[in-house]
Amino acid sequence: MMWLLLAAAILTEVSATLLLRVASTGKRRWYVPVGVGYVLAFTLLTLTLDQGMSLGVAYGIWAAAGVALTALASRVFFKEAITPVMMLGLVLIIGGVLLIELGTVH
């Protein structure tokens, strides 16, 4: 269950961030959904921690997956560039999260 909660936290955080991009173009009606999305993301992250996942693992995965998914979704939805250096950064983020998870004592 904690992994499903973490996945939901990641997806809501990424969604809120993508909506923030839309709101930044002067469309104020998107402010409320952005705020609700972030509150929901943190609530789901809190529930993940309540299920017993360690903070370092949960936050590391949440943050790294959020960065990677936001970069990829920004490419798809907003036609933002992803350079080779950015791709390397995404690979390093994913590798770092995997190392944190592998190093966790279960």
Side-chain angles (χ1 to χ4, degrees), residues 60-69 71 86-100:
I61 293 171
W62 182 71
V67 168
L69 290 173
M86 292 170 72
M87 288 300 293
L88 176 61
L90 293 174
V91 168
L92 291 172
I93 288 170
I94 292 166
V97 169
L98 289 174
L99 288 174
I100 289 170

Side-chain angles (χ1 to χ4, degrees), residues 4 36 41 48 57 61 78 81 95 99 104:
L4 290 174
V36 169
T48 301
V57 170
I61 293 171
F78 306 119
L99 288 174
T104 302

Side-chain angles (χ1 to χ4, degrees), residues 34-58:
V34 168
V36 169
Y38 282 125
V39 168
L40 184 58
F42 277 101
T43 300
L44 290 164
L45 182 61
T46 301
L47 293 173
T48 301
L49 297 173
D50 190 48
Q51 290 287 310
M53 187 176 288
S54 70
L55 178 60
V57 170

